Amino acid sequence: MMDRSILDTLMEAAYQQALKGYNEGGLPIGSVLADRRGIVLAVGHNLRVQTGDPTAHAEVACIRSAGRRRDWPDLVLVSSLSPCVMCTGTALLYKIPEVVIGENENFLGAEDLFAARGVRVTNLQHAGCKELMARFVRERPDLWNEDIGVPPGAKPA
Amino acid sequence: MMDRSILDTLMEAAYQQALKGYNEGGLPIGSVLADRRGIVLAVGHNLRVQTGDPTAHAEVACIRSAGRRRDWPDLVLVSSLSPCVMCTGTALLYKIPEVVIGENENFLGAEDLFAARGVRVTNLQHAGCKELMARFVRERPDLWNEDIGVPPGAKPA
């Protein structure tokens, strides 16, 4: 388990990515990939609105930015929000052993899959992440439902 | 269930994408997204070598290329190879209900997850897909292990 102060610092960086996304008119979700010393190796934020890429959730954008490497099992993935099943699958593919999330109140992703595969998930209950995401879901339920694959007309998440 | 001749035609298109990847020096895995009439909406192939993107498996590249849309539950995802857990998660996120694969002898992905979520998986046992993939795994085991998250030094897949 990494030191809590390191995790808090990494989460603040993920939150800054989420804020960046919000200020660009996109989804306010941010992610950071770091090594176990807390050194940031890549950052990313959701780019659906900005680039029209439906696979560009924050975690995928972050891992994409990290490039080709083989040391994934030594890394920690930090996300402002509980990762969806796509992002969970991406972390599982590369055997990233530790995931740190800002919150799972606005959206509960596939944490059951992480648990089933022995990935440690730590929820930091980050107030800023919660408030920013709640604000966005209120303001843009259409974009939010699109981002999590809720078909139009279906009961919103 | 879509007509078998339509599925065969779509699989041939996915195989052509796989061949394209192989001829570019990359991983020979291809994918197609189509509607239920068999109309191709997007194609993609693995771009790890070509672009250095570790998330650019064929299915992710294909879905990325399909762009922002809300009709995923009406579509079928075709892949030359059994989709890994990242690609499976991506299809699950968007509630794509049908997945057609060329083979799962060279690699068995997360078909259990598809089954658990009620996604229909049809294996067409495509000889060309099997031969091309087997050849690549023999020729470039290093690239193949990198692509499926096998750490260096670990027992190969």
Side-chain angles (χ1 to χ4, degrees), chain A residues 48 54 64 68 94 146, chain B residues 48 54 64 68 94 146:
Chain A
R48 168 180 304 275
R64 186 179 300 168
R68 291 175 62 184
Y94 289 121
E146 179 188 338
Chain B
R48 168 181 304 275
R64 186 178 301 167
R68 291 175 61 184
Y94 289 120
E146 178 188 339

Side-chain angles (χ1 to χ4, degrees), chain B residues 77-138:
Chain B
L77 181 67
V78 182
S79 179
S80 62
L81 184 64
S82 178
C84 82
V85 67
M86 170 176 69
C87 298
T88 298
T90 306
L92 289 176
L93 170 63
Y94 289 120
K95 302 181 176 60
I96 296 173
E98 180 155 4
V99 173
V100 180
I101 67 175
E103 58 118 349
N104 64 9
E105 289 177 10
N106 287 295
F107 178 73
L108 177 62
E111 292 178 23
D112 55 330
L113 282 185
F114 278 136
R117 304 280 195 111
V119 173
R120 183 207 306 271
V121 177
T122 304
N123 183 344
L124 295 186
Q125 304 280 3
H126 186 283
C129 291
K130 287 184 193 183
E131 286 161 22
L132 182 61
M133 195 64 214
R135 176 175 171 177
F136 181 80
V137 172
R138 225 167 30 236

Side-chain angles (χ1 to χ4, degrees), chain A residues 48-50 52-55 57 59-61 63-73 84-90 92-95 107 110 112-113 117 142-143 145-153, chain B residues 48-50 52-55 57 59-61 63-73 84-90 92-95 107 110 112-113 117 141-143 145-152:
Chain A
R48 168 180 304 275
V49 172
Q50 296 91 324
D53 177 354
T55 70
H57 277 193
E59 300 89 334
V60 170
I63 288 170
R64 186 179 300 168
S65 169
R68 291 175 62 184
R69 50 196 315 145
R70 307 296 294 270
D71 62 347
W72 308 105
C84 82
V85 66
M86 169 176 70
C87 298
T88 298
T90 306
L92 289 176
L93 170 64
Y94 289 121
K95 301 182 176 63
F107 178 73
D112 55 331
L113 282 186
R117 304 280 194 109
D142 52 331
L143 276 179
N145 284 332
E146 179 188 338
D147 201 58
I148 53 173
V150 175
Chain B
R48 168 181 304 275
V49 172
Q50 295 91 325
D53 177 355
T55 70
H57 277 194
E59 301 89 333
V60 169
I63 289 170
R64 186 178 301 167
S65 169
R68 291 175 61 184
R69 51 196 314 145
R70 307 295 293 272
D71 61 348
W72 309 105
C84 82
V85 67
M86 170 176 69
C87 298
T88 298
T90 306
L92 289 176
L93 170 63
Y94 289 120
K95 302 181 176 60
F107 178 73
D112 55 330
L113 282 185
R117 304 280 195 111
D142 53 332
L143 276 180
N145 284 331
E146 178 188 339
D147 200 58
I148 53 173
V150 175

